[in-house]
Amino acid sequence: MTILLCLTISFYCFSQNKEVLYNFTPQPQSLLLNPGADVKYKWFFGVPLLSGISVNGGSTGFDAYSLFANNNVDFSIKVQNVVDSTSRNDYVTANQQLEIFTAGLRIGGEENPSYLSFGMYQELDSFIYIPKDPAILALYGNKDYIGKSFNLGDLSAKAEVLSVFHVGFNKQLNEKLTVGIRGKIYSSIFNATSTHNSGYFYTVQGSNLIYDQVIKSDIQLNTSGAAKYLDENYDGDLATDFRKDIPKKAFFGGNLGLGMDLGLTYYPQKNIQLTASLVDFGFISHSKDVVNYTFKGEYDHKGVVNDFNDQGTAEDAYQDFKKAIPKEASYDKYTTQRPLKFYSSFQYSFEEERQTECDCATDEESWYRSAVGAQFFAMSTPRTPMLALTAYYRRRILKGLQMKATYTIDSYSFSNIGLGLTTKIGMFNFYAMADNLLAYSDLSKANALTFQIGFNIIAGGSSK
């Protein structure tokens, strides 16, 4: 049951597109998406544990209503309907991020403006493709699928909990160009990865009613940080052990890795802005608390009885599979790549303000009250990249109050409308952002949702 447990955790628990926050530079957190963002504040620090709280998740091909609707349909039938309506390229994702602390300050004089930012955040990522063929086999067995080759490579999932320590440097090279870089140290608390699987299962009927049942499997699940919890003989107190292990692993006690972000902002004209960034170009080396599970081998059975998963349950299918292809454990180290994200944007600003209405030495985009633009997002996945295209409108509504409205087309939805608001009263900053607003009338029918909120103390910039 170990491999099924880990895949189930993956299902319910990968960084996603943060289209509202990207290039919304009144917020210091936008530096995490583009270290070369054009920021104007003198310094900032986030309220510990409250400066950045974000949660997002989604699924393609089905929604929560499909599984949990109160419509007197048996849950097993709902699961079968979801499997029947999805493909191997549909997926379920979730991401949660919590800033532990963050701060930044301007360094250098007016002729050499630079910005230094640093902090720590905790993150949970997960991404799982719908295992189409194995799900059919687990739900229905193979008696009605004689001659079909089930693709075991449909099994592809990954999940991770980690902490990230980061330091970023942002420098304005001239009036048109700002560049930035952010270095990161990853400390992985828990990882489960099973993304390079292959194999097949088929049953054919030969002469004299003899069935030929063949399995060829090359499936591997790598795990780190949870060996004792996955041990069948574990009898400890889960809550107590979690409280001890997680803080230790979060502060450089886990499996470590290195990464970096790169970004820039360029103004070909005063009111036209171009941006681009690469986020999480990095890796983690897993050598501590590692247990890897493999199902590798071949199985060929000939007989008059075709009884694979004759009970029609996932447990029965798993037990039959284990009999055919034994599970083995190993403890070799492995390396994972962080999901690489690419952002870019074009922005046109208008409604120019007068000099007397702003302090242009400190106030971001103080000459322009409004802006429209477009953004492009791409993220690496175990198969094809995840893509999104966003159109947006930004406006400085009042002194200390700004908004950004977005419309995004992605693999989840063609009707994703988002909104972000940020306010600055004195030095106190509060922001809230959400997308898929049209789905809030019935959240169970939403394919994806994102929510972000936070509190900061900011000196200078974005006050009008």
Side-chain angles (χ1 to χ4, degrees), residues 6 9-10 14 125-126 157-162 187-195 221-227 230 249 255 284-293 334-339:
C6 289
I9 292 173
S10 299
F14 228 96
D125 288 330
S126 180
K158 59 191 303 182
E160 184 157 40
V161 180
L162 72 161
S187 184
S188 176
I189 299 169
F190 165 77
N191 176 270
T193 302
S194 182
T195 56
L221 170 66
N222 297 325
T223 74
S224 71
L230 298 175
K249 293 178 179 179
N255 291 287
I284 298 175
S285 177
H286 301 270
S287 58
K288 303 176 184 177
D289 206 14
V290 171
V291 182
N292 305 317
Y293 302 96
Y334 64 98
T335 300
T336 57
Q337 304 295 319
R338 294 291 295 149

Side-chain angles (χ1 to χ4, degrees), residues 203-263:
T203 303
V204 294
Q205 187 175 15
S207 59
N208 301 321
L209 300 179
I210 298 297
Y211 290 97
D212 188 7
Q213 193 166 272
V214 178
I215 302 175
K216 184 174 182 179
S217 173
D218 188 355
I219 296 175
Q220 181 162 329
L221 170 66
N222 297 325
T223 74
S224 71
K228 70 179 181 183
Y229 303 109
L230 298 175
D231 191 328
E232 295 179 355
N233 298 318
Y234 172 71
D235 60 357
D237 183 77
L238 198 61
T240 300
D241 287 346
F242 272 3
R243 285 195 297 268
K244 292 180 181 178
D245 289 347
I246 290 178
K248 179 174 64 176
K249 293 178 179 179
F251 289 89
F252 303 108
N255 291 287
L256 302 180
L258 297 174
M260 67 175 179
D261 305 341
L262 301 170

Side-chain angles (χ1 to χ4, degrees), residues 395-410:
R395 183 167 180 82
R396 193 185 306 273
I397 301 172
L398 299 169
K399 179 179 180 180
L401 178 63
Q402 299 191 46
M403 62 83 69
K404 179 180 179 182
T406 62
Y407 170 71
T408 299
I409 297 174
D410 56 24

Side-chain angles (χ1 to χ4, degrees), residues 402-450:
Q402 299 191 46
M403 62 83 69
K404 179 180 179 182
T406 62
Y407 170 71
T408 299
I409 297 174
D410 56 24
S411 56
Y412 300 108
S413 170
F414 286 178
S415 58
N416 181 353
I417 294 176
L419 180 65
L421 292 172
T422 177
T423 181
K424 184 168 177 282
I425 303 174
M427 297 174 66
F428 183 76
N429 161 250
F430 167 75
Y431 70 96
M433 303 174 187
D435 68 3
N436 271 293
L437 297 180
L438 298 180
Y440 275 67
S441 60
D442 189 349
L443 295 180
S444 67
K445 295 183 178 180
N447 285 96
L449 290 172
T450 299

